[in-house]
Amino acid sequence: MRDQFEKNWWDASNNRYMRGKDAAGTGYSSWGHEASFLMMLTGLGDHGPRTESYLDFIAANDDDLNVEATSYLPEMYYQYNRSAEGWAWLKKLMTGKNTYPEISFLAVSSVIDGMMGVQPDAPKDKVATISRLTSETPWAEIDHIKVGDNDLKLKHTGTTGSTLTNNSGGTVNWEAQFYGTPASITVNGSAYTPQTKSLYGKTVSYVTVPVAGGATVTATAGTSEVDTEAPTAPADLASSNVTSNSVDLKWTASTDNVGVTGYNIYRGTTLAGSSTGTGFTATGLSASTPYTFTVKAVDAAGNSSGAGSAVDVTTATSGNGQTADLSDLTWSDARSDFGTVQKDKSVDSHPIKLNGTAYAKGIGTHANSTITYSLNGGYSRFRSDIGVDDEVGANATVKFEVWGDGVMLYESPPVMTPSSATQSVDVSVAGVKSLVLKVTDARDGINSDHADWAGAKLVR
C-alpha cells in the first residue's frame, strides 16, 4: 500500500501528498483537515524527505481543527519523533480537559504509544520501547502496562535511559530502543553493541534482553555523536497588539539538524520568557516605554542560536482610547464542550453572523465554553455583540457571562435563542488582570448551542 500511495498520490506541482481524488481521478492536495493527516497517522509516505515536508505542511495548518481531530495529532507527531509538537498537542489536550468522549482515551494512548513509545507484541512475549520525552518532561513513569499475561512498569529518563520492571508474569523480551547511533547500550552495568533499524524513517539503536518475572532491567544509551550544531536564528520577528503593558510577538520558525525544542525571548539582555511555538506575549511592561526584543532558538542538546533581528516597541500610554480586536490577541486558555473555539469565524468555520449581520472580527464558540485573556490591567472597557450564530435555526439556548478577576461583570438575559435580538456588552475592565468570557447551555444541554462574541474588542 505504501508503494501504491507513493507512486500515485504525490502531487509534484505542490510537493505534497494528495488527500483524495474525485471520480475523474483528479487529486487534491490542499488542506482538508483530518483528510490531510490520516495517511501520516497510519504510516503511509516515504518516511523520508517527502514525509518530513508533508508533516511541516500539517504543522502549518493544524491550528484550525476541531477537538476530535486534534486528539489524533500527538500520536502522529510522536511516531515520527517530532516530540516537541507531539508534547505541545498532548499537553493542550490534557490541560483542556475537554469532555468529548474520545479525548481521555486518546490522551492516554498518546502517552503510552506516543511519548513512552510502547510497542507490544504479546504473541511473542515481547515489548519494545523508545523515549520521546522533551526537556520540559525530564522523566516519566507508567505502571501496570498489560502485555499479554505480563504486568509491566516503564520509566524513561530523558531520551537515553529506560528502566523496565516485570511486575508479574513470565519472562518478557524487552527491545530497548534509542534514537540515533550510540556506540553502546549499557544493560544493568554491562555494555552491548546495539543493532540498528528504521522506525518511521528514523534510525534507532536497540538491544533485546530478557526480563524475568519480578526483575528490573535498566538500559542506557552510550555516547553517540555529540550534537554541537546550533539551530538557525529565528527570522521575521514582528510585534502587534501593543498596549500600555504588553505586546504580542511573532517570528518564523528556526531549523535544526536534530530538532528545535523551543525559543527564548529576551527583553534587552533580560530573559522575558520561553515558548515552544512561534509566538509569545510579553507582559508586565511599563506605559510609554521603549523596549527591544530578540528571540533565540534552542535544541535538545542545549545548543542556542544567535539572536534573530531585533524588534523595537514603544508601549502605549495608559487609557489612550485605542482598541484591539479580541481575535487578534492571544488567549491564555480556551475550551468548549463541542468543537474548537474559533477566531473570526463561527464554531462551524462560517463567517460570524447574528440576525443577518455579518462580522469580520470576533470569537465563535459553543456552550459550554470558557475563554481567558491576561489583560494585566492594560485596558479600560470590553465591548461585544452577542447571540446565537445564524448557522443554527433552532434548539440553541445559551447564556453569556463576562468575568473579571473572579467577579461577574455582565450577565446576558437568562436564555438567548436563535430568535433573540442581538445584545451588546459594554463593561469596564479597568484594572482587570484576568478576563474570562463564558457561554453556558442555560442548563438544558448543549445541542446546537453555537454562540458568538461578535466584533469583540478591548479599549485601552
Side-chain angles (χ1 to χ4, degrees):
M1 184 179 290
R2 282 184 60 204
D3 291 342
Q4 173 75 6
F5 183 74
E6 198 64 29
K7 181 179 179 180
N8 298 298
W9 289 74
W10 176 254
D11 179 359
S13 61
N14 289 304
N15 289 320
R16 289 198 293 266
Y17 288 111
M18 301 176 197
R19 57 180 168 82
K21 294 185 180 183
D22 60 23
T26 302
Y28 298 89
S29 61
S30 57
W31 177 243
H33 300 269
E34 296 99 315
S36 287
F37 71 79
L38 288 178
M39 56 276 212
M40 295 294 102
L41 181 65
T42 56
L44 294 175
D46 70 344
H47 293 182
R50 287 183 175 181
T51 293
E52 285 299 313
S53 174
Y54 194 74
L55 289 169
D56 290 339
F57 168 67
I58 296 171
N61 291 279
D62 58 11
D63 284 335
D64 67 345
L65 297 168
N66 62 38
V67 69
E68 179 184 9
T70 297
S71 66
Y72 294 98
L73 290 175
E75 182 179 353
M76 181 197 69
Y77 283 125
Y78 271 130
Q79 67 188 11
Y80 295 100
N81 196 29
R82 294 174 68 122
S83 300
E85 290 155 307
W87 170 241
W89 282 108
L90 177 57
K91 181 169 61 173
K92 184 175 181 179
L93 289 174
M94 292 192 296
T95 57
K97 298 180 180 178
N98 193 289
T99 57
Y100 192 80
E102 294 181 12
I103 302 305
S104 58
F105 296 100
L106 285 165
V108 172
S109 173
S110 293
V111 170
I112 305 300
D113 301 337
M115 184 171 71
M116 302 298 285
V118 176
Q119 306 149 61
D121 189 352
K124 296 182 180 179
D125 297 319
K126 179 181 176 181
V127 63
T129 66
I130 192 163
S131 172
R132 299 185 179 114
L133 300 180
T134 64
S135 57
E136 191 173 346
T137 309
W139 66 270
E141 181 178 278
I142 50 178
D143 203 356
H144 303 300
I145 313 164
K146 302 296 185 179
V147 179
D149 294 330
N150 292 94
D151 181 297
L152 308 175
K153 179 168 69 174
L154 173 67
K155 180 178 181 179
H156 290 316
T157 303
T159 56
T160 58
S162 300
T163 298
L164 186 75
T165 299
N166 188 352
N167 294 323
S168 64
T171 298
V172 65
N173 292 306
W174 177 33
E175 187 175 288
Q177 301 173 347
F178 300 93
Y179 284 109
T181 55
S184 64
I185 294 176
T186 300
V187 178
N188 283 358
S190 299
Y192 296 86
T193 301
Q195 296 178 274
T196 60
K197 63 181 180 181
S198 179
L199 182 64
Y200 288 97
K202 307 298 183 184
T203 299
V204 298
S205 299
Y206 67 96
V207 293
T208 303
V209 294
V211 184
T216 296
V217 175
T218 296
T220 305
T223 303
S224 57
E225 184 176 348
V226 178
D227 177 20
T228 59
E229 183 175 336
T232 60
D236 305 320
L237 178 62
S239 62
S240 63
N241 301 317
V242 181
T243 72
S244 60
N245 59 9
S246 67
V247 59
D248 287 348
L249 302 173
K250 290 283 187 181
W251 57 89
T252 301
S254 299
T255 59
D256 185 64
N257 63 314
V258 177
V260 175
T261 58
Y263 299 88
N264 290 329
I265 298 87
Y266 292 85
R267 185 179 65 245
T269 59
T270 301
L271 180 65
S274 60
S275 173
T276 57
T278 56
F280 179 78
T281 299
T283 59
L285 309 180
S286 299
S288 305
T289 303
Y291 292 94
T292 298
F293 291 93
T294 54
V295 180
K296 297 180 181 180
V298 293
D299 63 18
N303 300 308
S304 176
S305 74
S309 56
V311 64
D312 295 320
V313 175
T314 298
T315 50
T317 302
S318 295
N320 59 9
Q322 293 180 337
T323 62
D325 289 309
L326 205 64
S327 58
D328 291 338
L329 304 181
T330 301
W331 53 55
S332 56
D333 184 67
R335 62 187 72 180
S336 69
D337 283 357
F338 177 85
T340 301
V341 179
Q342 303 272 26
K343 293 184 176 183
D344 300 332
K345 51 191 175 182
S346 72
V347 72
D348 271 357
S349 298
H350 298 128
I352 292 174
K353 187 177 288 187
L354 298 178
N355 292 311
T357 300
Y359 296 78
K361 306 294 289 183
I363 304 293
T365 186
H366 194 289
N368 294 290
S369 70
T370 303
I371 310 167
T372 304
Y373 290 87
S374 296
L375 304 187
N376 296 311
Y379 296 91
S380 61
R381 303 198 71 79
F382 168 72
R383 294 170 179 164
S384 180
D385 289 346
I386 56 173
V388 176
D389 193 276
D390 287 0
E391 67 192 5
V392 292
N395 300 321
T397 53
V398 298
K399 181 180 176 183
F400 293 79
E401 298 174 2
V402 179
W403 292 72
D405 295 337
V407 177
M408 184 185 291
L409 307 177
Y410 172 86
E411 183 178 24
S412 69
V415 177
M416 295 190 73
T417 69
S419 62
S420 297
T422 301
Q423 301 292 312
S424 294
V425 183
D426 186 355
V427 295
S428 172
V429 292
V432 170
K433 295 181 179 179
S434 177
L435 176 70
V436 180
L437 308 180
K438 296 182 180 182
V439 177
T440 69
D441 61 4
R443 298 184 178 181
D444 64 355
I446 67 172
N447 183 29
S448 301
D449 286 353
H450 297 215
D452 295 330
W453 298 92
K457 62 184 60 183
L458 289 160
V459 182
R460 297 188 179 95

